[in-house]
Amino acid sequence: MLSLSTACQVLLIGVLARCIYLRYFHPLSRYPGPFLASFTNLWNFYTYLTGESHLVEQRLHEKYGHVIRTGPDSLAFSNLSAFDAIYGYNRSLEKGDFYAFGRDAVTEAGSIFSARTDAIHREHRRKVVGPALGAGKTATYEPIISKNVITLLSRLTEAQNSVKGAFAIDIAGLIHRFTFDTVVEIIYGEPVCPQPYTDTRGARDVLTGFRDLSKYAWGAALLPWFGWLMSTRPMVYLSRRPTYDSDGHLTSIAALAAATRDVALAHPEKALESTQPSILKSYLQVPDSDTKHMSPDQIWRECFNLTFAGPGSTAAALTSTLYELGSPHGREWQARIRADLGPDASTTSPTSSPVLMAVIKETMRLHAPFPTAFPRCIAPGAETAIPDLPAPLPVGTVVAANTYIIGHSREVWGADVEAWKPERWLQGGESERKKLDDKFVVFSKGPRGCIGRDIALSMVAKAVAGMLGKWDISAEGALRGKGFLEMQYVECGLRFEGRT
C-alpha cells in the first residue's frame, strides 16, 4: 500500500507531466498566448471577472497575431475570415458543453440560444422565428416600442421639470429600464405589462438580477468543473432561491418568472384574448397540427431566453450611441440626424434614416454590445474549417472570435479604426456600403445570427430620434462600465437642453 508521501509524489509527477504535455506537446502548443492559459482555464475565468477580457484579448492579438491560445483546448481569432468560418454556414462547428447552463441536465432540452448542433438549432429557429419574429410580425411591435419611448421621454421630462433650464442626469439606469420594459412587453404583452414592468412591485432588483445572472452563468461556463458544481441540485436551489419584499411578495427574477409562467402555462387565454400583439401570443396561436407548434413549456423557455438576451445588449447599444452623440465630435451629428428625419419626425421611421443608422452602426462597431466571444466546438469534419492554419485542429477544440476585436481591427477597418466616424457608412456607392455591412459582425453571421436584430435597431433608433426631437445633448464625464456577457454600463452622464 502506498504511503501518503509516495501518493503525493506520484500525484505531483502526474500533474507536472500533464503541464509539460499541455505546454510543449499538445497540438495547440504551436499557438502563442498567456503562459497560464496553456495549463488551465483559470486565466480565462479571472480575466473575464475583471470585466476587461475584451481589452486583454485585444492587447494579446496586437502582441501575438491573429491566433492566440486562451485555454488548454481553446483558441481565439481576430481575423474576419476566421469569424466567417466559425459563425457562418459551417454545420460541423457546434455549441459544445460550454452552453450546458442553458440546457436541461437530463434531457439536454434548451432554447434556440443553447441548441448544440446545426440540425437542432434549425428546428428551434423554424419554430421561434417563423411565428413571431419574421419581418411581418416584428412590424406589429413598433407601436409598443413607440409607447415605451414616450415613457422614457416622460421620465426625462420629470427630471427636467425639477430644475430650470438645462439638466444633467446619469442616463445609464433609465436606458436599461426602457429596454427592459420594452422587451418584456413585446414578449409577453399586456397580461404581464399593464404598466411599464419596472414600475411594478415585483420589479425590485430585476435589472441587477438579470445582469448578475448573465455575468455568473457565463463565467461559470468558462470552468467546466465550476459549471458542473453550479448545476448540482443544492447550488441550483441556492442560486434560484426566490427573494421577497417586506410584505412577502416575490421580487426580481423570481417574480417575473412566476408572472410569465402563469400566463404561458396556467392561463394562456390572458395572452390570446389580449388585443395587443406579443411574441407569446403568436406562439400560442400556432395550431397543434402545425409543425411549428411548441409545447407550453417550450414556449415559456424560448420567451424567457429572449428576456435574458435582449434588454442588456440593447441598453448597451443605446447608451453608447447617446454618449457618442453627446461628445464634442458627435454633436454636429445631432443636427444631421434631425435634418435627415425631416420636420415631422413622428411620421418617419427612424430606421429609414441613413444618417441615424450610420451613427448607430459606427457606435456599435466601436462599443460592441457583446464584448465577449461566443465559443464553438470543432466537431468531426470541421478540423480544417478555419482557413490558413498550419495544421488541422483536434476535435473538441474550442474556437471563438470576438465582435469587439473585429470592430477594432486595423486590418478590417483601416488606420482610423479607433476614430468614431459615422461618415464611413455614408461614403461611396452601394457596393462600398455592402462591403462595410459584410464587416459589421455585431449581430454575428450565418444561421445563428441575432434573431432580435430588427427589434433592437428599432428601439435604439426610435429612442435617439425621440430624445433629439426634444433636447440638445452633451456628454458630461466618462462612459463607464464592464464587459461581461453583454456590456454593462453603470455611468453615462448627459446634459439635456430643451430645443426651442
Side-chain angles (χ1 to χ4, degrees):
M1 184 174 179
L2 290 175
S3 66
L4 180 59
S5 61
T6 303
C8 290
Q9 291 175 19
V10 171
L11 178 62
L12 182 60
I13 292 172
V15 170
L16 182 60
R18 175 67 176 169
C19 289
I20 292 173
Y21 167 75
L22 289 172
R23 180 64 183 172
Y24 298 105
F25 300 102
H26 189 279
L28 301 187
S29 62
R30 70 179 76 230
Y31 300 104
F35 180 79
L36 188 62
S38 304
F39 314 120
T40 175
N41 287 308
L42 283 171
W43 175 86
N44 214 352
F45 181 70
Y46 169 76
T47 56
Y48 171 80
L49 290 183
T50 66
E52 297 183 350
S53 60
H54 55 299
L55 303 177
V56 172
E57 184 182 334
Q58 183 183 22
R59 291 193 292 269
L60 289 171
H61 282 297
E62 289 172 353
K63 179 179 180 179
Y64 293 120
H66 287 314
V67 191
I68 58 172
R69 190 181 185 186
T70 56
D73 300 299
S74 305
L75 296 177
F77 297 80
S78 66
N79 52 326
L80 196 57
S81 60
F83 190 100
D84 290 340
I86 295 169
Y87 301 105
Y89 289 88
N90 192 313
R91 297 180 178 180
S92 296
L93 285 159
E94 300 181 347
K95 284 193 169 182
D97 292 338
F98 180 91
Y99 297 89
F101 65 87
R103 305 179 187 129
D104 185 274
V106 178
T107 65
E108 278 220 341
S111 66
I112 188 173
F113 174 73
S114 60
R116 181 182 291 273
T117 66
D118 176 77
I120 296 173
H121 178 268
R122 190 164 58 249
E123 182 67 11
H124 275 284
R125 188 179 180 89
R126 190 172 61 85
K127 295 179 177 181
V128 170
V129 175
L133 290 166
K137 282 291 185 179
T138 55
T140 66
Y141 309 137
E142 292 292 326
I144 300 174
I145 298 174
S146 298
K147 183 179 75 172
N148 280 277
V149 168
I150 292 172
T151 300
L152 171 62
L153 299 182
S154 297
R155 288 168 176 165
L156 285 168
T157 302
E158 289 175 9
Q160 180 183 28
N161 291 339
S162 65
V163 297
K164 291 183 178 181
F167 67 101
I169 188 173
D170 181 355
I171 199 74
L174 279 179
I175 294 300
H176 198 187
R177 285 182 68 187
F178 159 70
T179 58
F180 192 85
D181 288 339
T182 307
V183 170
V184 171
E185 186 170 356
I186 288 173
I187 296 172
Y188 302 104
E190 284 181 315
V192 174
C193 302
Q195 59 181 312
Y197 186 80
T198 58
D199 286 342
T200 65
R201 181 200 296 264
R204 193 188 76 180
D205 297 330
V206 71
L207 300 182
T208 55
F210 270 100
R211 278 191 165 181
D212 289 344
L213 176 63
S214 69
K215 174 181 177 180
Y216 292 112
W218 199 262
L222 293 169
L223 293 176
W225 61 267
F226 188 55
W228 172 86
L229 177 65
M230 294 301 294
S231 67
T232 59
R233 285 187 180 274
M235 294 306 294
V236 168
Y237 171 77
L238 289 173
S239 63
R240 297 182 182 177
R241 186 169 53 185
T243 56
Y244 300 87
D245 62 17
S246 58
D247 295 322
H249 296 281
L250 279 171
T251 62
S252 193
I253 297 177
L256 181 61
T260 55
R261 288 183 72 88
D262 176 72
V263 177
L265 305 180
H267 299 287
E269 70 278 2
K270 293 180 181 179
L272 290 168
E273 293 171 1
S274 172
T275 59
Q276 180 175 305
S278 69
I279 291 174
L280 172 61
K281 181 179 179 179
S282 296
Y283 291 153
L284 292 171
Q285 288 176 326
V286 177
D288 293 358
S289 58
D290 195 311
T291 56
K292 297 185 182 71
H293 176 77
M294 292 187 286
S295 69
D297 188 64
Q298 284 179 301
I299 290 173
W300 181 82
R301 190 185 306 121
E302 296 292 357
C303 285
F304 215 73
N305 170 66
L306 295 173
T307 311
F308 174 82
S313 56
T314 309
L318 177 53
T319 303
S320 54
T321 298
L322 292 170
Y323 177 80
E324 290 290 358
L325 282 170
S327 299
H329 57 255
R331 291 172 196 162
E332 67 175 274
W333 286 88
Q334 297 180 38
R336 294 183 65 172
I337 290 171
R338 294 187 192 104
D340 198 42
L341 289 173
D344 191 6
S346 61
T347 62
T348 305
S349 172
T351 54
S352 66
S353 164
V355 175
L356 177 52
M357 294 311 296
V359 166
I360 293 172
K361 286 183 176 181
E362 180 67 357
T363 302
M364 294 178 78
R365 176 190 72 80
L366 270 181
H367 304 274
F370 288 108
T372 188
F374 292 78
R376 298 291 189 266
C377 187
I378 298 292
E383 295 92 338
T384 58
I386 301 176
D388 303 322
L389 295 181
L393 295 176
V395 170
T397 301
V398 176
V399 294
N402 192 323
T403 57
Y404 178 91
I405 304 300
I406 299 295
H408 287 257
S409 169
R410 279 181 170 77
E411 181 179 295
V412 176
W413 295 97
D416 61 352
V417 63
E418 296 300 332
W420 184 79
K421 296 178 63 176
E423 59 266 29
R424 77 173 80 236
W425 299 89
L426 301 170
Q427 297 167 346
E430 188 65 29
S431 61
E432 290 301 313
R433 289 192 288 272
K434 175 66 167 59
K435 290 178 182 178
L436 285 181
D437 282 332
D438 287 341
K439 298 187 289 187
F440 184 65
V441 297
V442 168
F443 293 98
S444 196
K445 286 190 171 185
R448 290 188 186 247
C450 176
I451 60 176
R453 173 187 174 122
D454 292 344
I455 293 175
L457 287 175
S458 180
M459 288 169 60
V460 175
K462 282 179 178 287
V464 171
M467 291 188 196
L468 295 185
K470 295 191 67 171
W471 298 288
D472 290 317
I473 300 172
S474 56
E476 292 196 346
L479 178 66
R480 302 186 189 280
K482 293 287 188 179
F484 299 108
L485 170 57
E486 76 278 359
M487 195 68 203
Q488 299 183 0
Y489 291 116
V490 295
E491 183 181 336
C492 178
L494 295 179
R495 185 174 182 82
F496 294 80
E497 186 168 353
R499 298 185 64 243
T500 56

